Structures are given as C-alpha cells and as structure tokens.
C-alpha cells in the first residue's frame, strides 16, 4: 500500500486490488455524507482523482508538467457504483492503466471496503497528454510512457472482460 492509517488491518481488502500498482487508503469523512446518510456519488470521483494524481506522480507526469508544462488532462470518466459507503469507513482506492495510445491512456479504478472485503465501485477515465503552454494535446512524453510501463510491469493488461 502507498498510504497507511490506523483504520483497518494491513492486508484487509488488498487481494481485491491485485493488478493495481497504485493504491491509496482514504478515510470517509462525515462531511462526505448526503441526506440519505451515505457518501455522495460525486465523492467517488474524488477518490478516483486522489488515486489518479498519485499515479501521475509515480509515473512522472507531474514532474513533466513542472519541467515543460506538458501534463495530463482528464477527457472523460465513469463509475459503476456497487455498494454505498458510510462514516466512519476507510476505503482503498486503486489505479492502473488499462490501455495506452500515442497521446492518451485509459485508467481503471477500484474502490474497496477492506473491513467488508468488498468492492464498492469501479470506474475508468481517459487521460490525455496536454501541452498547457500551447493549449493542445501532444504525444505522451517518452519518460512518462516508460514510467507507466514500469509501474504496470510491462504492457498494460488491457480492459478486463
């Protein structure tokens, strides 16, 4: 795991994140609950974002932006909600690259409830390589591509069936 906190025992739920090279432990906050007493659907996308940003740090895309203003921009994202989340649970959120093209890659996400050993949500997002100075998409920098391949242990696994 990338992040640890006292909630949950180490190892709980981790098997459900096999194949996800980046995982983040995130506590559910009281303020994330909606009128129905569960975490609002929009918060799941923030959990995906947290894992995505950690992935971008690890593959070198954040450093690329700092160096040359070539960074990532989110094209689209989706979520399949499976279980409601509530306070005071802690979730593990995983991120991986499913497919990589010349100027974009598809990320897969999974939110796991370690205490219940259950998948709460799965999602995906298309991330485009973007030159912020020029205002246009560009090929993924080679160093970033190598970083992704290193994190994934070679070629991305592809979209699961």
């Amino acid at each position: 795991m990338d992040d640890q906190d006292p909630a949950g025992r180490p190892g709980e739920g981790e098997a459900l994140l096999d194949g996800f090279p980046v995982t983040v432990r995130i506590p559910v906050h009281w303020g994330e609950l909606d009128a129905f007493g569960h975490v609002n659907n929009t918060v799941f996308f923030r959990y995906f974002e947290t894992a995505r940003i950690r992935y971008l740090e690890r593959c070198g895309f954040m450093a690329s932006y700092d160096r040359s203003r070539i960074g990532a921009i989110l094209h689209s994202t989706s979520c399949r909600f499976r279980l409601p989340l509530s306070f005071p649970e802690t979730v593990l959120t995983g991120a991986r690259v499913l497919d990589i093209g010349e100027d974009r890659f598809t990320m897969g996400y999974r939110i796991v409830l370690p205490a219940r050993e259950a998948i709460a949500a799965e999602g995906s997002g298309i991330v485009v390589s973007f030159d912020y100075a020029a205002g246009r998409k560009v090929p993924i920098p080679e160093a970033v591509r190598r970083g992704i391949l290193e994190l994934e242990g070679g070629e991305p696994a592809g979209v699961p069936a």
Side-chain angles (χ1 to χ4, degrees), residues 47-116:
Y47 296 164
F48 290 167
E49 176 187 57
T50 297
R52 179 174 58 252
I53 295 303
R54 181 64 46 83
Y55 195 102
L56 296 176
E57 289 170 345
R58 300 246 335 257
C59 77
F61 230 145
M62 300 304 272
S64 171
Y65 178 80
D66 290 342
R67 274 190 314 275
S68 63
R69 304 256 308 145
I70 294 176
I73 193 165
L74 186 63
H75 170 284
S76 56
T77 189
S78 66
C79 182
R80 164 72 167 85
F81 304 97
R82 297 183 176 276
L83 292 172
L85 302 175
S86 60
F87 179 83
E89 293 181 303
T90 295
V91 299
L92 296 176
T93 304
R96 65 181 171 186
V97 169
L98 301 171
D99 183 52
I100 187 166
E102 180 185 343
D103 62 2
R104 67 192 63 216
F105 52 91
T106 303
M107 297 197 78
Y109 311 109
R110 183 175 288 164
I111 298 172
V112 170
L113 287 158
R116 292 195 247 168

Side-chain angles (χ1 to χ4, degrees), residues 19-57:
F20 287 84
V22 173
T23 59
V24 183
R25 187 175 297 273
I26 305 170
V28 171
H29 298 282
W30 178 261
E32 296 171 337
L33 304 183
D34 62 18
F36 300 107
H38 60 71
V39 171
N40 187 278
N41 293 355
T42 62
V43 176
F44 287 68
F45 291 99
R46 285 202 312 243
Y47 296 164
F48 290 167
E49 176 187 57
T50 297
R52 179 174 58 252
I53 295 303
R54 181 64 46 83
Y55 195 102
L56 296 176
E57 289 170 345

